[in-house]
Amino acid sequence: MTVQPTPSPAPRPGPAAETGETVETVFRMESPRIIAGVTRIVRDVGIAEELAQDALVAALEQWPRDGVPANPGAWLMTAARNRAVDLVRRRENYARKLAEIGRALPDATPPEEPADPDDIDDDLLRLVFTACHPVLSTEARTALTLRLLGGLTTAEIARAFLVPEPTVAQRIVRAKRTLATKNVAFEVPRGPDREARVGSVLDVIYLIFNEGYAATAGDDWLRPSLCEDALRLARVLAGLMPKESEVHGLAALLEFQASRTAARTGPSGEPILLKDQNRSRWNRMLIARGVAALGRAEATASGAPGPYTLQAAIAACHAHAHTYEETDWTRIATLYGLLAARSPSPVVELNRAVAVSMAEGPGAALPLVDALAADAALREYHLLPSVRGDLLSRLGRRAEARTEFERAASLTRNERERDLLLRRAAEQT
């Protein structure tokens, strides 16, 4: 009998490897604040990101040798700030930079700990508004926000949105260049400008979440990491802007939506429709956070609720229903009516029609959906024929329903969703 050699145990990572992992983890958590703090000095997010990366390299070199500092975030911040100070001092136009900053930079080394945590929060808020500046395209805002505030690498962003990595890299480079050439101020806008810009910030975060919640294309229905990044950004923003009603409204909406994540897909990753979801798998803690955030949104509103607060109220109706049949569809239809009046959109009208179908029956909703068929914005929108197919099926018009589901399947770019729609089409016999 041949004696087999005993396999050697897999090598355990050494102290240097473990320290490297610690550096990477801390940097991912702290990089938005570091970049924000450095941008206040150099007034250029591209240069600030490079200096933050330099601090990361210094940590990877020094921490394995000297040990992880007691406050690693403050160490990285100080290292990046020191590099920023050195850079500004080396510039020939140092005097002009001092005037822009408003005060002379001290000769002493910056302190290990930020002097005022509120200053750091202010810088982070400025970075949010800078990354989501309207001068950038939506694609550029999204990529830059995930890069600077989400801490994602270019490869991770490309993988999340199913676009080539060079395309994402180009978007980020162009975005930084545009912010520099347009002399976009590193500031939180005030008055009407702030109100206009908040909408852009919220829209970008919502777009990131939606792409994770129901992926536009590809093989996966859900991309949980994108949902988590967007939810974290919404929470950070709510902490930075506690008096902004719509910020809390968005946070509430994302908390409610994220609470359903575990129930939205089956064992093989296939989509599970809302009516078929096991509600015991909904995350009650996230629902509680959503209820609290919605309360803050309503308490801070100065007038009629905004669109994100209204959408959060709709999501709350679903969260409070123990079963699909117990859902208050009449209230949801009313809320969609308010949302349509506040932010007119054919997609909102389509969602209102779904609520009407549940509250009053499919016959009451079909004319509403048919009226949307001529809208150019929905011509290639796969959910229009999907909703129409569902209404026709419930009315017993199965042949027509099959045609609608097949059309919806031909329009979607998500493989999981296409399979679901084709399955629904096959059921219309």
Side-chain angles (χ1 to χ4, degrees):
M1 182 177 69
T2 302
V3 178
Q4 299 293 331
T6 303
S8 301
R12 298 182 62 183
E18 292 177 354
T19 303
E21 290 177 2
T22 300
V23 176
E24 295 284 356
T25 300
V26 172
F27 184 77
R28 185 148 187 164
M29 293 171 59
E30 297 292 334
S31 61
R33 293 176 182 271
I34 296 170
I35 294 169
V38 173
T39 302
R40 178 150 57 100
I41 298 173
V42 299
R43 301 288 164 166
D44 186 308
V45 294
I47 293 174
E49 187 185 10
E50 291 174 6
L51 294 173
Q53 291 288 340
D54 287 346
L56 170 63
V57 171
L60 288 170
E61 292 173 349
Q62 295 181 39
W63 292 7
R65 183 187 66 225
D66 303 334
V68 178
N71 192 330
W75 191 100
L76 287 167
M77 177 72 82
T78 299
R81 280 178 167 175
N82 284 343
R83 283 161 173 75
V85 170
D86 290 343
L87 176 65
V88 171
R89 284 175 176 154
R90 287 198 303 269
R91 288 176 175 172
E92 293 181 355
N93 58 354
Y94 177 51
R96 181 174 65 81
K97 283 294 178 185
L98 288 182
E100 290 178 6
I101 295 172
R103 63 178 182 273
L105 290 168
D107 291 331
T109 301
E112 278 292 321
E113 299 285 347
D116 184 354
D118 289 339
D119 286 346
I120 300 299
D121 284 349
D122 288 345
D123 287 342
L124 187 56
L125 188 56
R126 293 184 187 103
L127 183 61
V128 171
F129 277 92
T130 301
C132 297
H133 197 285
V135 74
L136 303 176
S137 68
T138 300
E139 294 81 6
R141 285 181 233 165
T142 302
L144 192 61
T145 299
L146 285 173
R147 174 75 172 185
L148 299 182
L149 296 160
L152 273 67
T153 64
T154 302
E156 288 171 330
I157 299 169
R159 189 163 58 249
F161 286 91
L162 302 180
V163 293
E165 189 174 338
T167 300
V168 173
Q170 247 183 5
R171 287 175 184 171
I172 293 173
V173 169
R174 287 174 180 169
K176 294 174 185 176
R177 187 184 302 132
T178 299
L179 293 175
T181 57
K182 297 286 186 180
N183 292 318
V184 171
F186 184 62
E187 64 181 8
V188 177
R190 304 293 174 186
D193 286 345
R194 175 167 176 164
E195 185 177 346
R197 292 265 294 281
V198 167
S200 172
V201 172
L202 299 182
D203 288 348
V204 167
I205 295 175
Y206 188 47
L207 175 65
I208 293 169
F209 183 89
N210 274 350
E211 186 57 33
Y213 194 69
T216 305
D219 297 327
D220 297 318
W221 173 240
L222 280 177
R223 296 194 185 119
S225 60
L226 275 183
C227 292
E228 291 164 7
D229 283 321
L231 183 54
R232 181 173 59 81
L233 290 174
R235 289 171 178 170
V236 168
L237 197 59
L240 295 174
M241 305 179 71
K243 296 181 181 179
E244 292 285 347
S245 174
E246 277 292 81
V247 173
H248 294 299
L250 176 66
L253 174 60
L254 301 195
E255 299 280 8
F256 285 130
Q257 299 290 72
S259 72
R260 306 178 205 159
T261 299
R264 293 188 73 242
T265 55
S268 302
E270 69 277 11
I272 299 178
L273 298 176
L274 180 62
K275 66 184 179 65
D276 300 322
Q277 289 175 15
N278 179 356
R279 298 191 175 211
S280 68
R281 300 192 67 197
W282 287 8
N283 189 313
R284 307 314 298 183
M285 183 191 71
L286 292 182
I287 290 174
R289 290 182 64 101
V291 170
L294 180 56
R296 288 190 289 271
E298 293 171 342
T300 54
S302 57
Y308 285 115
T309 301
L310 287 169
Q311 290 180 75
I314 292 168
C317 290
H318 292 295
H320 291 315
H322 292 98
T323 65
Y324 187 73
E325 291 72 24
E326 292 178 22
T327 306
D328 190 347
W329 290 106
T330 300
R331 173 165 170 73
I332 290 177
T334 300
L335 289 169
Y336 269 122
L338 294 174
L339 182 59
R342 184 75 165 76
S343 300
S345 159
V347 174
V348 171
E349 290 292 351
L350 183 62
N351 285 322
R352 185 173 76 87
V354 173
V356 168
S357 79
M358 298 304 300
E360 303 175 25
L366 188 58
L368 302 177
V369 174
D370 288 343
L372 295 171
D375 195 307
L378 298 183
R379 190 166 296 149
E380 302 299 319
Y381 187 54
H382 70 282
L383 290 182
L384 177 61
S386 175
V387 169
R388 193 168 190 275
D390 182 70
L391 297 179
L392 291 168
S393 178
R394 288 162 59 191
L395 288 168
R397 296 160 59 176
R398 297 188 176 278
E400 296 171 81
R402 181 187 182 100
T403 300
E404 292 295 327
F405 284 130
E406 289 174 345
R407 171 168 164 73
S410 72
L411 292 174
T412 184
R413 291 187 291 133
N414 185 280
E415 295 299 328
R416 296 288 188 175
E417 194 168 26
R418 180 179 292 112
D419 291 343
L420 171 66
L421 290 166
L422 289 175
R423 188 166 65 249
R424 296 204 68 191
E427 292 169 353
Q428 308 306 311
T429 56

